[in-house]
Structure formats: C-alpha cells, structure tokens
C-alpha cells in the first residue's frame, strides 16, 4: 500500500559524516530537494549511545530519521520512506520490475559489498583510532567478501 504523504515538513536526519549510509541519506535529500535538519550524531563521541538517541533509534545506530513523531532507522528504509512521502520523481525509485531490480541491488549492496568493504575499512582505518586490533583471518575474510562482491 501507499504510505501517507506527510507534506513538505522538514525531517530530522541523525547522521555521522563518516557513515556511508548517513551520507547516502543526506545526498538523496539534497539531490531530490527534500528539506531536512541534520542532527550530527558523532559515533566517535559515542553520541549514538545516549538515552536521548535511544528514543529515536533503539538499535542506537546511524542513520536515523524523525518525521514528527515517526522514527525510522536503516538508510535504505529511510530513503524509501522519503521517496514515498515527499513526492519525489519516479526515477529515484521506479515502480514494477524496475523497482524490484533496485531492491535487488540495495539488498546485494547491504548484504555483500558493505559487509566486506565495511569490515575491511573499519578494521584497518577506524579500529586503530580506537586502539582496536583485528586478526589477519578477519581481515582476509573481509577482503575476500569484498573482492567476491566486486567480481559479481
């Protein structure tokens, strides 16, 4: 069924610029002309672990969105919701078989490419910033998942 259109009200996006899904939501809003309020939620400062943020997203992850009293998490879900409620052009999320192919790609991206690339980038770039170290087997596994995803 169709989602109820909420009009042109500004949504709040709880994001961290270092988060790829956060950037995807902001870029979508910018390109589709969707007004939003950026609420910096810094992972490095543990701002996603506060009790206040837990009310927005009980999973305590970014991105998260608040539209009035409605809250939603997960980047793909946020973008689909915004498309459905903000009168976006059809080309962003077409109907029928084209939509099924978009969903197929989004699922593949989330389950495979992000899994490999995300683990690899986190363990080699971000983890050292927090004093964390991962074994070579985890790095090899993440690299293999990423390479397989890119070759598919």
């Amino acid at each position: 069924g169709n989602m109820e259109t909420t009009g042109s009200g500004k949504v709040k996006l709880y994001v961290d610029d270092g988060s790829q899904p956060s950037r995807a939501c902001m870029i979508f809003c910018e390109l589709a002309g969707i007004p939003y309020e950026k609420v910096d939620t810094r992972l490095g400062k543990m701002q996603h672990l506060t009790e206040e943020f837990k009310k927005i997203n009980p999973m305590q992850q970014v991105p998260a969105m608040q539209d009035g009293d409605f809250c939603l998490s997960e980047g793909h879900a946020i973008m689909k919701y915004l498309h459905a409620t903000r009168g976006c052009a059809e080309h962003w999320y077409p109907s029928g078989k084209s939509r099924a192919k978009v969903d197929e790609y989004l699922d593949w991206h989330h389950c495979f490419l992000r899994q490999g690339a995300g683990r690899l980038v986190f363990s080699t770039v971000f983890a050292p910033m927090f004093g964390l170290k991962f074994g070579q087997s985890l790095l090899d596994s993440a690299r293999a998942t990423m390479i397989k995803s890119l070759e598919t």
Side-chain angles (χ1 to χ4, degrees):
N2 289 338
M3 291 187 190
E4 185 178 316
T5 301
T6 59
S8 60
K10 198 181 265 194
V11 298
K12 289 184 180 181
L13 287 181
Y14 295 80
V15 294
D16 184 306
D17 290 340
S19 157
Q20 181 276 323
S22 291
R23 292 190 309 271
C25 289
M26 290 186 290
I27 290 168
F28 175 67
C29 286
E30 293 289 336
L31 293 176
I34 299 169
Y36 69 98
E37 176 186 341
K38 179 182 177 185
V39 181
D40 277 314
T41 308
R42 308 302 289 213
L43 301 177
K45 294 183 178 180
M46 307 301 178
Q47 292 173 339
H48 62 300
L49 300 178
T50 65
E51 285 302 313
E52 181 182 337
F53 184 71
K54 194 173 186 178
K55 294 173 187 170
I56 303 300
N57 182 4
M59 299 302 292
Q60 296 182 287
Q61 297 176 336
V62 295
M65 181 211 72
Q66 186 175 15
D67 185 13
D69 60 357
F70 178 68
C71 295
L72 190 64
S73 62
E74 298 300 328
H76 295 159
I78 291 168
M79 289 184 282
K80 289 175 185 180
Y81 170 81
L82 291 171
H83 179 271
T85 62
R86 294 305 191 273
C88 296
E90 173 84 0
H91 70 265
W92 289 113
Y93 195 48
S95 58
K97 290 178 182 176
S98 294
R99 178 171 290 184
K101 293 304 279 184
V102 170
D103 286 338
E104 176 184 56
Y105 172 79
L106 292 174
D107 289 349
W108 168 82
H109 175 264
H110 183 72
C111 293
F112 295 101
L113 185 59
R114 253 190 73 67
Q115 180 185 25
R119 284 191 303 160
L120 190 61
V121 170
F122 179 80
S123 57
T124 59
V125 177
F126 294 107
M129 295 166 60
F130 296 103
L132 302 173
K133 292 183 181 181
F134 292 93
Q136 192 61 42
S137 63
L138 179 108
L139 297 175
D140 291 344
S141 171
R143 187 174 287 111
T145 300
M146 184 181 73
I147 289 169
K148 184 178 180 185
S149 297
L150 293 172
E151 291 175 344
T152 302

